[in-house]
Amino acid sequence: MLNSAAIIESSAGATPPTCFVPVETCRPKNPLIEKLGKFATLGGQEFDALERVCRSRKKLAPRETLLREGCRSSFVFLILKGMAVRYRYLSNGKRQIMGYLLPGDLCDAHFLVRNYLDHDIGLLTDAEVAVIPIRELTSVMAAFPTVRRALLETMVTERAMLREWLLNVGQRNARQKLAHFICEISERMQSLGQVNPDGSYSIALTQVELADTMGLTVVHVSRCLQRFRAEGLVEWLRHQLTIVDVQGLRQLAGFDEGYLHIARDSPGSCASAAARGLCSIVAA
Amino acid sequence: MLNSAAIIESSAGATPPTCFVPVETCRPKNPLIEKLGKFATLGGQEFDALERVCRSRKKLAPRETLLREGCRSSFVFLILKGMAVRYRYLSNGKRQIMGYLLPGDLCDAHFLVRNYLDHDIGLLTDAEVAVIPIRELTSVMAAFPTVRRALLETMVTERAMLREWLLNVGQRNARQKLAHFICEISERMQSLGQVNPDGSYSIALTQVELADTMGLTVVHVSRCLQRFRAEGLVEWLRHQLTIVDVQGLRQLAGFDEGYLHIARDSPGSCASAAARGLCSIVAA
DNA sequence: CGAAGAGTTGAAGCTCGTCAATAATCGTGG
DNA sequence: CCACGATTATTGACGAGCTTCAACTCTTCG
């Protein structure tokens, strides 16, 4: 969707190479700009400012720890390519993964407000990041209220995702948890255009990561995936994920498309909710 | 309608009229101001502006639903007295509580950015709330950068709490979950000065709420509390919570004081973390 | 007083974790 | 290129933690 397929190097045999969307929306190839563009309408000035802020880049090896709990920094990292996770360890050695960072995600905008981090951030793949001086980012935010607002929105979205995760980990059983996570991560990758031509996704996740995401053991994750496979719901071999039965998986997961707020606020994304009308107190 | 409760019917008969602390610190009795004051240094102008914004007040009955999922509003509610919870239901009837709202907490600053809510907010006690027009709040934020920053901090703190909850629900066993929650809620109430003279807390939580917070069943919560009682860790009868063995409880929970960021950023609150120094990438 | 809600207790069972052994895959260096 | 160890995935047996169901008590409140 959006303009993701605008300049793509014919990875998809189906999409035509030409660019049919308006020039303005076709322009950004910077994932931060693409992401913020989903929350606010940005103009050329904003594009330039954001582009400038991301000029310092760095390539990183897989499995590297990007940021450590407690570290302080006057920079903010932006994922340009690759995948990272937030996590924390418990003293008993258990690890909880608290979020996945994909291209366009900041890790951590947190530093705009606090001077240290309360969790680790590790890379799952080799990656490219932009190293953004906080000072520059704040001045862009000051100069462009729309950027400030869009950044705020990304934080609010992240909070919403954490709530959904809490619901997932707290109230669903293992199969539902897994199903829900698969729906979520594939939706996010899809919105980034990271779908293979055959409809599969290349995801560098091991079952260990899945287990630590959902609060399960690797053994149990393995069994659940086996069953998914047997039931014709999902294929997940090596790092290739294929969702065979999207409907079935979503139903099992109780997945609500639109919760990720990937699309701009649209009445459709919360139609049922909106139907309930204004809150009681205000309406009274 | 909104300001119907503007003339408050002298509900407070307990607080003494005299003031022994310095005038400046004595002045704010508005819990929002007290809370924001923990994150930023506010002056008289900010006090007045915030006070003005909170002038419309409303009293509410216990068990009332304050806000419903999907509702839209041009107001933000601030808890002045009482206790509320955020929660969401799953289609199978299970409920996950995602946060507790105490005096000084906004529910939901969310509306500053998004126009609808993705969860319900319900009252556990009778309560008093301030009904703040979003427009007024945004103009205060525009006029006073410190207020804006402090509000941002509250959001970041909330996100940090969600991460901690995720860790709690995902990786700890029932006893540890309960212990951790008890540490957290008592710490928050303590920082609000809501401790009874005998060191106990008056908390209007039933075991149902505890269960829905931790992703457990009422039955199991009951059993855990029984055992806490037998082990001399905690007393929790009716709505009176007494922590008998603070050290023991914290150790069991692996509770990290300071995670709530109740205190101003201090080197002490993250000493061990700071010792680890700068993050690898930047230092390199 | 009666009804509804909250808490307690026991028995039984299921989901998921633990332990352990094996196979498949990957990365690395010879 | 193959060989090596290390990581990842799979499978089985067993057990523990927690849930479910159900009955009963205690409290609260109209």
Side-chain angles (χ1 to χ4, degrees):
Chain A
M1 52 185 303
L2 288 178
N3 43 1
S4 55
I7 319 170
I8 291 178
E9 48 281 41
S10 75
S11 67
T15 47
T18 41
C19 173
F20 293 117
V21 283
V23 178
E24 190 64 11
T25 63
C26 173
R27 186 176 169 196
K29 249 299 69 157
N30 178 324
L32 176 61
I33 296 177
E34 299 205 359
K35 179 166 187 188
L36 296 186
K38 287 170 192 164
F39 293 119
T41 310
L42 304 177
Q45 283 193 311
E46 284 90 338
F47 286 171
D48 293 339
L50 287 171
E51 200 68 74
R52 215 172 314 121
V53 135
C54 295
R55 67 190 177 282
S56 163
R57 299 179 175 211
K58 201 168 165 93
K59 295 201 181 243
L60 300 165
R63 307 279 139 195
E64 201 164 336
T65 301
L66 186 55
L67 291 164
R68 277 197 193 289
E69 181 183 341
C71 79
R72 291 147 192 276
S73 170
S74 48
F75 299 91
V76 157
F77 295 103
L78 167 70
I79 306 282
L80 294 168
K81 269 189 218 152
M83 197 175 197
V85 283
R86 302 178 194 282
Y87 57 84
R88 270 190 53 191
Y89 278 98
L90 233 41
S91 55
N92 61 15
K94 294 193 169 183
R95 177 177 74 153
Q96 176 69 47
I97 291 182
M98 310 178 167
Y100 286 77
L101 297 163
L102 270 51
D105 291 337
L106 283 169
C107 53
D108 195 2
H110 196 92
F111 282 129
L112 292 169
V113 173
R114 271 213 221 303
N115 60 5
Y116 64 93
L117 196 64
D118 60 1
H119 57 272
D120 291 2
I121 295 182
L123 294 171
L124 295 178
T125 66
D126 55 336
E128 190 180 346
V129 301
V131 184
I132 306 176
I134 290 183
R135 197 164 293 184
E136 288 188 31
L137 190 56
T138 40
S139 65
V140 171
M141 286 168 65
F144 302 104
T146 51
V147 172
R148 183 206 294 283
R149 202 191 143 86
L151 279 170
L152 233 182
E153 285 233 28
T154 65
M155 284 186 52
V156 169
T157 299
E158 212 186 299
R159 212 178 43 166
M161 285 182 58
L162 278 167
R163 292 209 190 99
E164 186 72 38
W165 276 39
L166 191 62
L167 184 68
N168 203 34
V169 171
Q171 304 297 336
R172 289 194 252 251
N173 64 29
R175 307 190 72 219
Q176 296 172 319
K177 289 182 196 184
L178 254 170
H180 195 275
F181 176 76
I182 292 173
C183 288
E184 175 180 316
I185 198 77
S186 64
E187 186 110 329
R188 285 180 70 188
M189 294 195 68
Q190 194 143 34
S191 94
L192 290 171
Q194 301 192 355
V195 201
N196 299 334
D198 63 353
S200 71
Y201 305 86
S202 300
I203 303 190
L205 287 184
T206 68
Q207 295 186 354
V208 177
E209 270 95 38
L210 287 178
D212 290 349
T213 301
M214 254 89 51
L216 300 169
T217 57
V218 206
V219 176
H220 202 63
V221 167
S222 177
R223 284 195 240 266
C224 287
L225 283 179
Q226 292 289 74
R227 204 172 141 199
F228 280 176
R229 215 167 282 149
E231 293 170 334
L233 285 171
V234 166
E235 286 291 334
W236 193 325
L237 285 171
R238 324 280 167 93
H239 292 158
Q240 288 292 313
L241 164 66
T242 311
I243 300 178
V244 183
D245 177 1
V246 181
Q247 278 311 318
L249 195 67
R250 289 199 170 172
Q251 189 167 4
L252 171 60
F255 185 74
D256 169 30
E257 1 175 9
Y259 108 76
L260 293 172
H261 304 280
I262 285 174
R264 292 279 281 280
D265 271 351
S266 68
S269 67
C270 59
S272 67
R276 302 203 213 162
L278 277 165
C279 70
S280 53
I281 307 295
V282 174
Chain B
M1 51 154 208
L2 285 175
N3 41 11
S4 61
I7 311 160
I8 296 177
E9 46 278 39
S10 75
S11 65
T15 45
T18 41
C19 171
F20 293 117
V21 282
V23 178
E24 191 64 10
T25 62
C26 167
R27 187 172 167 201
K29 247 306 76 173
N30 179 327
L32 176 62
I33 297 178
E34 299 205 358
K35 178 166 186 185
L36 296 186
K38 287 171 190 162
F39 294 119
T41 310
L42 303 178
Q45 282 193 311
E46 283 90 337
F47 285 173
D48 293 339
L50 288 170
E51 199 68 73
R52 215 174 311 120
V53 134
C54 295
R55 67 190 176 283
S56 164
R57 300 176 173 211
K58 202 170 163 90
K59 296 205 176 231
L60 301 165
R63 305 280 140 194
E64 201 164 337
T65 301
L66 186 55
L67 291 163
R68 275 196 196 290
E69 181 182 341
C71 79
R72 291 147 194 276
S73 170
S74 48
F75 300 91
V76 157
F77 295 101
L78 166 71
I79 307 283
L80 294 169
K81 268 189 217 151
M83 196 175 199
V85 283
R86 300 178 194 284
Y87 56 86
R88 270 190 55 191
Y89 278 98
L90 233 41
S91 56
N92 61 16
K94 293 192 171 185
R95 177 178 74 153
Q96 175 69 46
I97 291 182
M98 310 179 171
Y100 286 77
L101 297 164
L102 270 51
D105 291 337
L106 282 170
C107 53
D108 195 4
H110 196 91
F111 281 128
L112 291 168
V113 173
R114 268 210 222 305
N115 61 4
Y116 65 93
L117 196 64
D118 61 1
H119 58 271
D120 291 2
I121 296 181
L123 294 171
L124 294 178
T125 64
D126 56 336
E128 189 180 345
V129 301
V131 184
I132 306 177
I134 291 183
R135 195 165 295 185
E136 288 189 30
L137 190 55
T138 38
S139 66
V140 170
M141 286 168 65
F144 303 104
T146 50
V147 172
R148 183 206 293 284
R149 202 191 142 89
L151 278 170
L152 234 181
E153 286 231 28
T154 65
M155 285 185 50
V156 169
T157 299
E158 212 185 300
R159 212 178 45 167
M161 283 181 61
L162 278 167
R163 292 210 189 99
E164 186 72 40
W165 276 40
L166 191 62
L167 184 68
N168 202 34
V169 172
Q171 303 298 335
R172 289 194 251 250
N173 65 27
R175 307 189 73 216
Q176 296 171 319
K177 289 182 197 184
L178 255 170
H180 195 275
F181 175 75
I182 292 174
C183 288
E184 175 180 317
I185 198 76
S186 64
E187 186 110 330
R188 286 180 70 190
M189 294 194 67
Q190 194 142 34
S191 92
L192 290 171
Q194 300 192 355
V195 201
N196 299 335
D198 63 351
S200 71
Y201 304 86
S202 301
I203 303 190
L205 288 184
T206 67
Q207 295 186 353
V208 176
E209 271 95 40
L210 287 177
D212 290 350
T213 301
M214 255 88 53
L216 301 169
T217 57
V218 206
V219 175
H220 201 62
V221 167
S222 176
R223 283 194 241 266
C224 287
L225 283 180
Q226 291 289 74
R227 204 170 140 199
F228 279 178
R229 216 167 281 150
E231 294 171 334
L233 285 171
V234 166
E235 285 292 333
W236 192 325
L237 284 171
R238 324 284 165 89
H239 292 158
Q240 287 291 314
L241 164 67
T242 312
I243 301 179
V244 183
D245 178 1
V246 181
Q247 277 312 318
L249 195 69
R250 290 200 168 169
Q251 189 166 5
L252 171 60
F255 184 75
D256 169 30
E257 0 176 8
Y259 108 79
L260 292 172
H261 304 282
I262 285 175
R264 292 276 284 280
D265 270 350
S266 68
S269 67
C270 58
S272 67
R276 302 203 213 163
L278 276 166
C279 70
S280 52
I281 308 294
V282 174

